Amino acid sequence: MQPSTKFITLTSYKGGVGKTTSAVCLSCLFSNYGQVMLIDSDPNRSATAWASSGNLPFKVATENTATRLMAKTHFDFVVIDTPARPAEAEMQELVEGCDLLLLPTTPDSLAMKAMMLTSQSLPKGTNYHILLTMVPPPPQRDGEDALKVLQEKDFPVIKQGIRLLKVYKDAAALGLPISSIKGGKKAWQDWIELAKLSPISELINSEIS
Ligand SMILES: Nc1ncnc2c1ncn2[C@@H]1O[C@H](COP(=O)(O)OP(=O)(O)O)[C@@H](O)[C@H]1O
Ligand SMILES: [Mg+2]
Protein backbone atom coordinates (compact mmCIF):
# COMPACT_ATOMS: atom_id res chain seq x y z
CA MET A 1 0.00 0.00 0.00
CA GLN A 2 1.27 3.48 -0.80
CA PRO A 3 2.06 5.70 2.19
CA SER A 4 -0.58 8.31 2.85
CA THR A 5 -0.25 11.83 1.47
CA LYS A 6 0.91 14.48 3.93
CA PHE A 7 -0.95 17.77 3.69
CA ILE A 8 0.87 20.93 4.75
CA THR A 9 -1.01 24.24 4.67
CA LEU A 10 0.46 27.73 5.05
CA THR A 11 -1.78 30.55 6.15
CA SER A 12 -1.75 34.01 7.78
CA TYR A 13 -4.07 36.95 8.27
CA LYS A 14 -1.31 39.26 7.10
CA GLY A 15 0.06 39.33 3.54
CA GLY A 16 3.75 39.56 2.69
CA VAL A 17 4.98 37.36 5.56
CA GLY A 18 6.58 34.69 3.36
CA LYS A 19 3.76 32.19 2.77
CA THR A 20 4.42 31.71 -0.93
CA THR A 21 8.21 31.76 -0.53
CA SER A 22 7.97 29.17 2.26
CA ALA A 23 5.49 27.05 0.28
CA VAL A 24 7.85 26.94 -2.72
CA CYS A 25 10.97 26.27 -0.61
CA LEU A 26 9.23 23.56 1.44
CA SER A 27 7.99 21.95 -1.76
CA CYS A 28 11.60 21.94 -3.05
CA LEU A 29 12.70 20.40 0.25
CA PHE A 30 10.01 17.69 0.27
CA SER A 31 10.89 16.88 -3.37
CA ASN A 32 14.12 15.37 -2.00
CA TYR A 33 11.94 12.76 -0.25
CA GLY A 34 8.98 12.10 -2.51
CA GLN A 35 6.47 13.35 -5.09
CA VAL A 36 5.18 16.83 -4.30
CA MET A 37 2.30 18.97 -5.46
CA LEU A 38 1.94 22.60 -4.47
CA ILE A 39 -1.65 23.84 -4.60
CA ASP A 40 -1.67 27.57 -5.33
CA SER A 41 -5.02 28.68 -3.93
CA ASP A 42 -4.11 32.39 -3.93
CA PRO A 43 -5.94 34.25 -6.72
CA ASN A 44 -2.72 36.26 -7.21
CA ARG A 45 -1.15 32.98 -8.36
CA SER A 46 2.33 33.97 -7.14
CA ALA A 47 3.50 30.36 -6.75
CA THR A 48 2.16 29.54 -10.22
CA ALA A 49 4.16 32.48 -11.64
CA TRP A 50 7.33 31.27 -9.84
CA ALA A 51 6.79 27.78 -11.32
CA SER A 52 5.91 28.97 -14.82
CA SER A 53 9.50 28.62 -16.05
CA GLY A 54 9.13 24.85 -15.55
CA ASN A 55 12.28 24.69 -13.42
CA LEU A 56 10.80 23.71 -10.06
CA PRO A 57 11.06 20.04 -9.07
CA PHE A 58 7.36 19.58 -8.25
CA LYS A 59 3.90 19.98 -9.76
CA VAL A 60 1.93 23.17 -9.20
CA ALA A 61 -1.85 23.05 -9.42
CA THR A 62 -4.65 25.45 -8.61
CA GLU A 63 -7.53 24.55 -6.29
CA ASN A 64 -9.44 23.78 -9.52
CA THR A 65 -6.94 21.42 -11.13
CA ALA A 66 -5.56 19.71 -8.01
CA THR A 67 -8.24 17.03 -7.73
CA ARG A 68 -7.68 15.82 -11.28
CA LEU A 69 -3.91 15.67 -10.80
CA MET A 70 -4.33 13.78 -7.54
CA ALA A 71 -6.62 11.24 -9.18
CA LYS A 72 -3.88 10.42 -11.70
CA THR A 73 -0.72 10.64 -9.60
CA HIS A 74 0.16 9.70 -6.04
CA PHE A 75 1.72 12.59 -4.16
CA ASP A 76 3.66 12.04 -0.95
CA PHE A 77 3.39 15.70 0.04
CA VAL A 78 0.78 18.29 -0.86
CA VAL A 79 1.71 21.84 0.13
CA ILE A 80 -1.10 24.40 0.07
CA ASP A 81 -0.37 28.12 -0.36
CA THR A 82 -3.29 30.37 0.54
CA PRO A 83 -4.31 34.02 0.17
CA ALA A 84 -4.01 36.31 3.20
CA ARG A 85 -7.01 37.06 5.45
CA PRO A 86 -8.96 33.77 5.39
CA ALA A 87 -12.48 34.10 6.75
CA GLU A 88 -13.35 31.99 9.79
CA ALA A 89 -15.27 29.44 7.74
CA GLU A 90 -12.35 29.17 5.34
CA MET A 91 -9.97 28.64 8.23
CA GLN A 92 -12.05 25.64 9.29
CA GLU A 93 -11.68 24.20 5.77
CA LEU A 94 -7.93 24.89 5.67
CA VAL A 95 -7.38 23.04 8.91
CA GLU A 96 -9.56 20.02 8.14
CA GLY A 97 -7.57 16.98 7.09
CA CYS A 98 -4.34 18.94 7.27
CA ASP A 99 -1.31 17.17 8.80
CA LEU A 100 0.49 20.40 9.58
CA LEU A 101 -0.62 24.01 9.55
CA LEU A 102 2.25 26.47 9.30
CA LEU A 103 1.79 30.11 10.26
CA PRO A 104 4.70 32.06 8.81
CA THR A 105 5.38 35.43 10.41
CA THR A 106 8.08 38.05 10.20
CA PRO A 107 9.55 38.95 13.61
CA ASP A 108 8.09 42.50 13.72
CA SER A 109 5.38 43.32 16.22
CA LEU A 110 2.59 44.01 13.69
CA ALA A 111 3.05 40.67 11.95
CA MET A 112 3.42 38.88 15.29
CA LYS A 113 0.14 40.36 16.54
CA ALA A 114 -1.61 39.30 13.34
CA MET A 115 -0.13 35.81 13.74
CA MET A 116 -1.38 35.58 17.32
CA LEU A 117 -4.87 36.53 16.13
CA THR A 118 -4.65 33.86 13.45
CA SER A 119 -3.64 31.26 16.04
CA GLN A 120 -6.56 32.27 18.27
CA SER A 121 -8.98 31.73 15.38
CA LEU A 122 -7.87 28.12 14.87
CA PRO A 123 -10.20 25.32 15.88
CA LYS A 124 -9.17 23.77 19.23
CA GLY A 125 -6.56 21.05 18.93
CA THR A 126 -5.21 22.16 15.55
CA ASN A 127 -1.67 20.93 14.95
CA TYR A 128 -0.01 24.20 13.99
CA HIS A 129 3.49 25.62 14.14
CA ILE A 130 4.89 29.09 13.70
CA LEU A 131 7.71 29.70 11.24
CA LEU A 132 9.71 32.91 11.67
CA THR A 133 10.59 34.30 8.25
CA MET A 134 12.69 37.16 6.90
CA VAL A 135 14.78 37.22 10.08
CA PRO A 136 17.22 40.15 9.77
CA PRO A 137 20.92 39.40 10.18
CA PRO A 138 22.90 40.05 13.38
CA PRO A 139 23.59 42.40 15.11
CA GLN A 140 19.81 42.82 14.83
CA ARG A 141 18.17 40.66 17.45
CA ASP A 142 14.62 40.64 16.06
CA GLY A 143 14.64 36.92 15.34
CA GLU A 144 15.98 35.88 18.74
CA ASP A 145 13.67 38.31 20.53
CA ALA A 146 10.61 37.06 18.64
CA LEU A 147 11.55 33.44 19.37
CA LYS A 148 11.94 34.22 23.05
CA VAL A 149 8.58 36.01 23.28
CA LEU A 150 6.79 33.17 21.50
CA GLN A 151 8.46 30.48 23.62
CA GLU A 152 7.64 32.37 26.83
CA LYS A 153 4.00 32.53 25.75
CA ASP A 154 4.07 28.79 24.94
CA PHE A 155 3.43 29.22 21.23
CA PRO A 156 4.51 26.21 19.14
CA VAL A 157 7.30 28.02 17.29
CA ILE A 158 9.91 26.20 15.19
CA LYS A 159 13.27 26.85 16.84
CA GLN A 160 14.99 27.99 13.69
CA GLY A 161 13.81 30.84 11.52
CA ILE A 162 14.44 31.69 7.87
CA ARG A 163 16.94 34.48 7.29
CA LEU A 164 16.22 37.62 5.31
CA LEU A 165 18.26 37.30 2.12
CA LYS A 166 17.99 39.07 -1.20
CA VAL A 167 18.28 35.84 -3.21
CA TYR A 168 14.62 34.96 -2.51
CA LYS A 169 13.39 37.77 -4.77
CA ASP A 170 15.90 36.67 -7.46
CA ALA A 171 14.75 33.05 -7.25
CA ALA A 172 11.09 34.05 -7.66
CA ALA A 173 11.90 36.41 -10.55
CA LEU A 174 14.00 33.78 -12.36
CA GLY A 175 11.58 30.94 -11.61
CA LEU A 176 14.24 28.80 -9.96
CA PRO A 177 14.64 26.86 -6.72
CA ILE A 178 16.56 28.90 -4.15
CA SER A 179 19.36 26.27 -4.18
CA SER A 180 19.98 26.88 -7.92
CA ILE A 181 20.46 30.62 -7.56
CA LYS A 182 23.91 32.18 -7.50
CA GLY A 183 24.52 32.87 -3.81
CA GLY A 184 21.49 30.78 -2.83
CA LYS A 185 23.34 28.05 -0.91
CA LYS A 186 23.29 30.11 2.29
CA ALA A 187 19.52 30.55 2.03
CA TRP A 188 18.96 26.87 1.18
CA GLN A 189 20.93 25.88 4.29
CA ASP A 190 18.07 27.24 6.44
CA TRP A 191 15.64 24.81 4.80
CA ILE A 192 18.07 21.90 5.16
CA GLU A 193 18.27 22.72 8.87
CA LEU A 194 14.48 22.99 9.08
CA ALA A 195 14.19 19.44 7.69
CA LYS A 196 16.02 18.20 10.80
CA LEU A 197 13.61 19.91 13.20
CA SER A 198 10.19 19.01 14.51
CA PRO A 199 7.55 19.08 13.03
CA ILE A 200 9.10 18.97 9.52
CA SER A 201 11.41 16.06 10.42
CA GLU A 202 8.43 13.92 11.52
CA LEU A 203 6.65 14.48 8.21
CA ILE A 204 9.77 13.51 6.28
CA ASN A 205 10.55 10.53 8.49
CA SER A 206 7.03 9.14 8.25
CA GLU A 207 7.48 9.29 4.48
CA ILE A 208 10.84 7.51 4.25
CA SER A 209 10.27 4.88 6.97
N1 LIG B 1 13.56 35.05 3.68
C1 LIG B 1 13.34 36.07 2.85
N2 LIG B 1 14.31 36.99 2.60
C2 LIG B 1 14.09 38.04 1.79
N3 LIG B 1 12.94 38.26 1.14
C3 LIG B 1 11.93 37.40 1.34
C4 LIG B 1 12.07 36.25 2.19
N4 LIG B 1 10.88 35.58 2.19
C5 LIG B 1 10.06 36.27 1.37
N5 LIG B 1 10.68 37.35 0.85
C6 LIG B 1 10.11 38.36 -0.06
O1 LIG B 1 9.06 39.05 0.63
C7 LIG B 1 7.96 39.27 -0.23
C8 LIG B 1 6.69 38.62 0.34
O2 LIG B 1 6.89 37.21 0.41
P1 LIG B 1 5.76 36.18 -0.03
O3 LIG B 1 6.34 34.82 0.13
O4 LIG B 1 5.20 36.54 -1.36
O5 LIG B 1 4.68 36.46 1.12
P2 LIG B 1 3.11 36.08 1.18
O6 LIG B 1 2.89 34.91 0.31
O7 LIG B 1 2.87 35.81 2.63
O8 LIG B 1 2.37 37.30 0.71
C9 LIG B 1 8.36 38.72 -1.59
O9 LIG B 1 8.89 39.77 -2.37
C10 LIG B 1 9.47 37.71 -1.27
O10 LIG B 1 10.42 37.58 -2.31
MG1 LIG C 1 1.58 34.64 -1.28
Side-chain angles (χ1 to χ4, degrees):
M1 205 174 83
Q2 282 179 323
S4 66
T5 307
K6 301 284 176 303
F7 289 86
I8 302 101
T9 302
L10 295 97
T11 189
S12 69
Y13 277 160
K14 195 174 178 307
V17 294
K19 281 185 300 300
T20 299
T21 305
S22 303
V24 168
C25 291
L26 278 175
S27 298
C28 287
L29 185 69
F30 291 139
S31 295
N32 289 340
Y33 305 97
Q35 290 292 321
V36 181
M37 172 165 67
L38 191 167
I39 303 181
D40 182 2
S41 73
D42 185 345
N44 290 332
R45 301 284 189 241
S46 312
T48 305
W50 192 334
S52 62
S53 62
N55 290 317
L56 296 182
F58 51 85
K59 288 254 184 283
V60 177
T62 66
E63 66 279 21
N64 303 314
T65 58
T67 327
R68 257 170 288 157
L69 262 176
M70 285 180 76
K72 289 189 184 135
T73 311
H74 170 77
F75 291 100
D76 302 298
F77 302 93
V78 172
V79 177
I80 304 167
D81 186 22
T82 62
R85 288 171 288 280
E88 204 167 308
E90 265 174 277
M91 190 60 99
Q92 192 81 37
E93 287 177 17
L94 291 178
V95 168
E96 241 169 57
C98 169
D99 295 287
L100 173 65
L101 187 73
L102 277 181
L103 307 186
T105 179
T106 50
D108 59 284
S109 63
L110 270 186
M112 294 263 286
K113 279 191 185 125
M115 184 282 297
M116 288 177 192
L117 282 178
T118 315
S119 81
Q120 282 163 12
S121 75
L122 299 174
K124 271 215 160 23
T126 303
N127 176 25
Y128 81 98
H129 283 76
I130 297 157
L131 176 64
L132 287 167
T133 59
M134 296 186 234
V135 175
Q140 295 173 79
R141 297 181 43 88
D142 311 40
E144 281 166 66
D145 292 347
L147 186 64
K148 200 162 157 244
V149 167
L150 292 172
Q151 284 176 330
E152 277 170 8
K153 291 183 193 278
D154 274 336
F155 277 98
V157 57
I158 303 180
K159 285 191 199 71
Q160 196 219 260
I162 303 300
R163 288 173 287 185
L164 177 79
L165 292 164
K166 185 184 165 292
V167 284
Y168 284 98
K169 283 200 179 23
D170 300 340
L174 294 167
L176 290 169
I178 194 76
S179 57
S180 312
I181 286 283
K182 194 167 174 283
K185 292 278 175 298
K186 182 177 167 187
W188 183 238
Q189 198 56 41
D190 286 349
W191 299 95
I192 300 283
E193 289 305 314
L194 205 66
K196 298 177 191 162
L197 293 178
S198 178
I200 308 294
S201 58
E202 281 98 339
L203 286 178
I204 290 173
N205 288 338
S206 70
E207 194 48 50
I208 54 185
S209 60

